[in-house]
Amino acid sequence: MFDAIAARGEAAAAVSDAGWLQAMLDAEAALARALATAGVISGEEAEAIAGACVAERFDAAAIAAAAGGAGNPVVPLKAALTEAVDGPAAGHVHRGATSQDILDTAAMLVAARALDPLLDDLLAARSAAGELARAHRDTPMAGRTLLQQAVPVTFGLKAAGWMAGLEDSRRWLNELRVERLAAQLGGAAGTLASLGEAGPRVAEAYAEALGLPEPVLPWHTLRGRIGELASALAVTSGAVAKVARDVVLLSQTEVAEVREARGGGSSTMPHKRNPVAAICALACAQQAPGLAATLLGAMAQEHERAAGSWHAEWRPLGELLRSTGSAVAWLRESLEDLEADPERMRANLDATGGRLMAERVSVEIGGPEAERALEAADFRAAVAALVGEERAAELLDPAGYLGSAGALVDRAVDFYDREG
Amino acid sequence: MFDAIAARGEAAAAVSDAGWLQAMLDAEAALARALATAGVISGEEAEAIAGACVAERFDAAAIAAAAGGAGNPVVPLKAALTEAVDGPAAGHVHRGATSQDILDTAAMLVAARALDPLLDDLLAARSAAGELARAHRDTPMAGRTLLQQAVPVTFGLKAAGWMAGLEDSRRWLNELRVERLAAQLGGAAGTLASLGEAGPRVAEAYAEALGLPEPVLPWHTLRGRIGELASALAVTSGAVAKVARDVVLLSQTEVAEVREARGGGSSTMPHKRNPVAAICALACAQQAPGLAATLLGAMAQEHERAAGSWHAEWRPLGELLRSTGSAVAWLRESLEDLEADPERMRANLDATGGRLMAERVSVEIGGPEAERALEAADFRAAVAALVGEERAAELLDPAGYLGSAGALVDRAVDFYDREG
Amino acid sequence: MFDAIAARGEAAAAVSDAGWLQAMLDAEAALARALATAGVISGEEAEAIAGACVAERFDAAAIAAAAGGAGNPVVPLKAALTEAVDGPAAGHVHRGATSQDILDTAAMLVAARALDPLLDDLLAARSAAGELARAHRDTPMAGRTLLQQAVPVTFGLKAAGWMAGLEDSRRWLNELRVERLAAQLGGAAGTLASLGEAGPRVAEAYAEALGLPEPVLPWHTLRGRIGELASALAVTSGAVAKVARDVVLLSQTEVAEVREARGGGSSTMPHKRNPVAAICALACAQQAPGLAATLLGAMAQEHERAAGSWHAEWRPLGELLRSTGSAVAWLRESLEDLEADPERMRANLDATGGRLMAERVSVEIGGPEAERALEAADFRAAVAALVGEERAAELLDPAGYLGSAGALVDRAVDFYDREG
Amino acid sequence: MFDAIAARGEAAAAVSDAGWLQAMLDAEAALARALATAGVISGEEAEAIAGACVAERFDAAAIAAAAGGAGNPVVPLKAALTEAVDGPAAGHVHRGATSQDILDTAAMLVAARALDPLLDDLLAARSAAGELARAHRDTPMAGRTLLQQAVPVTFGLKAAGWMAGLEDSRRWLNELRVERLAAQLGGAAGTLASLGEAGPRVAEAYAEALGLPEPVLPWHTLRGRIGELASALAVTSGAVAKVARDVVLLSQTEVAEVREARGGGSSTMPHKRNPVAAICALACAQQAPGLAATLLGAMAQEHERAAGSWHAEWRPLGELLRSTGSAVAWLRESLEDLEADPERMRANLDATGGRLMAERVSVEIGGPEAERALEAADFRAAVAALVGEERAAELLDPAGYLGSAGALVDRAVDFYDREG
């Protein structure tokens, strides 16, 4: 009932039942081909197996239902696949592997396939932020600390920060997708014993067939990869949440400095411009810390296969890919759709009667006179009385107190455009 | 792909899309009848609306898909329901309510419907533990602290503890189900303004029609109820996890004091007696802390409807009901199916050559002689040398050093049978 | 460096090293007296022990430092206490108990002593909220959903909600303090074996001496009590966070409907009225979900003493008492100090040119004409054109569309004053 | 009272009050020198300030106590430092900076100083694991899946896995320490406005003076760095927990394959060999997921300084550095101290009457005869009846079915020795 909100974007498809089924079959197919490469079975046998590894040929619901008996879905999958393969090749299905090999490898494939669209959406979101940074490089707005107006900033600088946060997490996720989503093959307890001498060659060929890195050791109870993936997704969600929260706050009726062009109204309250995309992005991003904590807590996996902590990963890993993917997809919509209102920004800069410039007055005039002016009921008049109308107007012009905002925007845009 | 493991038991059905849809419709039906009770609309109009509130008449997938636009599924549901109602009654659909009223009330109904089978399974699980406590009231086994054998206990005392932990959480959940799952009706911002004078009467009748308590105030951004529900589910999961972990540890090859009768083997490793039910119970129970943390963290809901934290509850609330329900269902299977092996318990008591009785020897003999005996290579012989064979045999008999174990079992069984 | 922020209020003192030390000594003293009550030792021996149980006589730092060797501080405490007791009574120190008995009981005492001031602060905070509810029963302000102005509410209704959330959690915490913080005495593995026949009488007298309830069973690895305490603290933190977040949002420069009278400024930005107390309350409250999750996750305690999960409770339990206590203390300061600005509330109600009354216009005028008015550039004029100036003024008066706000405030105030 | 357990190792010192105070002063000193480098103040003024930045000169407790008023400790620190500086230089203390600049930079210094000893302990722990891997390359032991004996592995392979998990996390932490702990300087809202033209030069010199990288943008509300640090610490804790859990399980009375040489006993239960170091490592490591979740959840920081989520980081960041440092220190003690018992490993391999070799018998004999043998009461005899005594002995020898265990150990040792 909530998938349109909580499972936005394409990442969700990869973690569906069909996605998991195909990923497990891909692992079985890669295993068969690796066995052939290593000379354990013939190429024909391998292709007979690999040719059967097509999700549509299997009853995903039946396999899922049968997973309860053995405690994982690979046991019924192996049975179904064996039945689906004709001739003697059937006897080689799953050879040398244990259930965890197939499921862990499938998890890596599922993660990779969820990350691909997620990374696309993240790139689009950060690019949209970059566009805002460029377009509003010199648009003054109130800088707010502790939700109080403090000194002027630019909307470009704020947007450049959004871009930086998103892009840093994108680069990490991308690196992790390429380097850390490794194949898993160890056999019953990680020694590859049932493959005899051929073990290492099979393991190498398996990784190659999958297009995944081969790990130094089978990683069945070394869950750092899962922990890192969970972390990078959670940090990405955190970067999304920062941006989305800013958008929601800037969209408030009383602030109204940005709005989502397609933001939802209400039939009876048409004046509302609910920033639906940012709100949903926030809601999805909030899922990440708890899910990541569950995965990090499950790293204490016993001996050669954990009694519970392994099984505990499946749901939260899928949920975390889905919720982060959804958060990113929503944020992309929000940012690609965001309309800034420089006039309202300017008007809000005047909300404190020039006191937003108090720091400048302190620094540039200083002394007890400046302090008295800061406490005057009419700050502008008090400053003008001190330094004259013209100088006061200059001093109190927010656009004249933007410090290095423009230079910082330029630097961020250059940096994130250059290194990709 | 993992529902047979992660969504065991009947609680999962209540949190399905169909479960949510019917619960939202039930809220709309109750609202219509409450409007009639308060004289705002006629009884015929109310029944025209209520009669249409049948999940099967609606396209759940279409409503779910349309939820993305407005940020919640009630907006498309209201439209679909209005269309499904004939005549002028259609104009009264959802009258006086806001989306959150319907969704929050539906959440309470979903929770109640998930809790009912969960509470049944929990009662069965605690009863199975109680049976074990009674049956093994006087069966000695090694008490283990820090996973080291310490002094003897009885299996009955251990099982009585399991029962107590489960039953305490059952009573809490049951109380909460009755008292805290309250109806929600407040209108656009909690004042019931669009109902005019009739507001309070409608709200009262609404709760009555739903069979839920009426709250003192509309609780749209007062999320204590959600926090309490999350807490009680997480504590239940914790109580399950304690039992399941004990079962898994007692099932170890080297300990082998209990086994699940239907415990899974492996085609190539038939000697294994994997305690699948306890393992899956543990895996499900491990989901709870992270999910509860997400719900507790979402309590900081802004003003009259939160911008994200409300939407952030929907998935984890469903997941938590599902995973706790699943943990309880698995534990019930494990305990109803558990075979204890008193002989193996007895054999393990001898594993330390009588040193398990060191505390008793210390207390009952004491002094430097006892201390020397404790350090002797052959502890039994050393004790016999001190006090004679007969007294040594008595002193070193684990069955003679069970303290108040039996009395405690009796007390727990009485207490938990008596108060229900 | 952060205690003035993160450990505000009196609760922190109870969880200090001195607080823990005295609580452990209180448990040892109660044990000695219980042994005397049960006739195991003499009253003189008991008093010799109890008389030595004064924290100031011990070197807390030395005991803490020695805790590393045994894995808990009771082992060195027992040694130090034995040394501090003169005569043969020294031989009865800690008799019948295990380290966990003393530490778990001390944890309950520490919790009770932290809860007492916390409950006082919570009562004061909810009373301050109640005062605001009464004082502003009829003060109109904008109701905000998704941070957009929606329809009018009253500040009294908002404050009544704050009161309700705080008071519900206070009652739960209070009940739990009285009923669930039970004594723990089980001996080495929960059988009280070393006390022989006297076990149950000692356990009963021990609880009585402590002024704590006696549990049905020793609860050494039944951690429901810890889980419930963690939950109630986390829900309290959540209730605090809701209020604090509202205060922070209402304090924004652009909203400015409330301010903390002592709210911090800044030397160079004196116009800022940082709602420091509410901000710190939020920061403290945010600690709770993670800490509670750690405690809930630690409930899976093995056999008769957990190998790690028991030790894992000590820090987060202390931190959670401290951070929740601090959150409550800060919120009390914020609310006792809060100045509302009805004029600004009124001004903000006009921010949307009367469109905040759109729902009412929809309901009370309705039809295509009302819809057109809602889209008009000048909404007020459009409504006046429809219904005349006088009726338009009435329709668009926020004070006239407050629904049951006043009645709800009265009900909440009555309810929470009555039942306590 | 729990620091000897929960704050083991040297990392804790860095996060003490003294550690924070010096780190904040170091930031102020670096700022003064950077101002001089950029020509804003003179070198003499800079040195007058920097010279005063010595923690011992300040009353840490007084500064900490005063932090409550302003909501952070930099405000009173700045006042105290200004007072401590003689002459006109005092007027330049903190110039151009805001409290958050100093505190965020100090947090990076604190983290770096905590990571240094933590990384040393982690290197030592992984080296100890590597030693065990080398020494026991060919020591057979039971491989255990779901805590059931499955097929043989070697203790060397298990230890190589421990090494790999620890070393992967060490490399990540080390990289992060060098690259991601960046200086923070942005002024009141990130524009460096009060420094005028000199802003960028000051920021560059500031980072250089601190020996920290300069970020592309001020990162005051871009908390990815904190999120990454939290993640890497949590993954490290997870890697520690895996090893510690294995050690605890292998130390069980009934398994007894390893023991901590200094493992704690008990005065009345001297037969116990509690693996205290591994237990404490587990307890400390369990803190990480909840603390990391709090930090990840605090990433949604509003505008130019967060109203609560910034303040919410201070405690959990310190706690996470402390608890992870403690977990690593304990694990180092456990592993440097670990005695393996190859004879007991061998004896346990026989616990299932040869059935641990069932997979091999299945694979190498196969067919219905092998299946019948697997079900025979006397498995060894049944196999001997099939293939003769000599071949049966060979087939059932665990040392002959270790697959690629040795090669994998070699590969892991080579890999982790080579790349450092």
Side-chain angles (χ1 to χ4, degrees), chain B residues 149-169:
Chain B
Q149 289 194 8
V151 297
V153 297
T154 62
F155 184 50
L157 182 57
K158 186 186 288 276
W162 295 350
M163 174 185 65
L166 296 171
E167 178 63 7
D168 281 352
S169 69

Side-chain angles (χ1 to χ4, degrees), chain B residues 116-136:
Chain B
D116 288 339
L118 188 160
L119 287 164
D120 287 347
D121 283 340
L122 193 46
L123 182 62
R126 81 93 160 155
S127 298
E131 284 305 309
L132 291 168
R134 266 183 285 262
H136 293 281

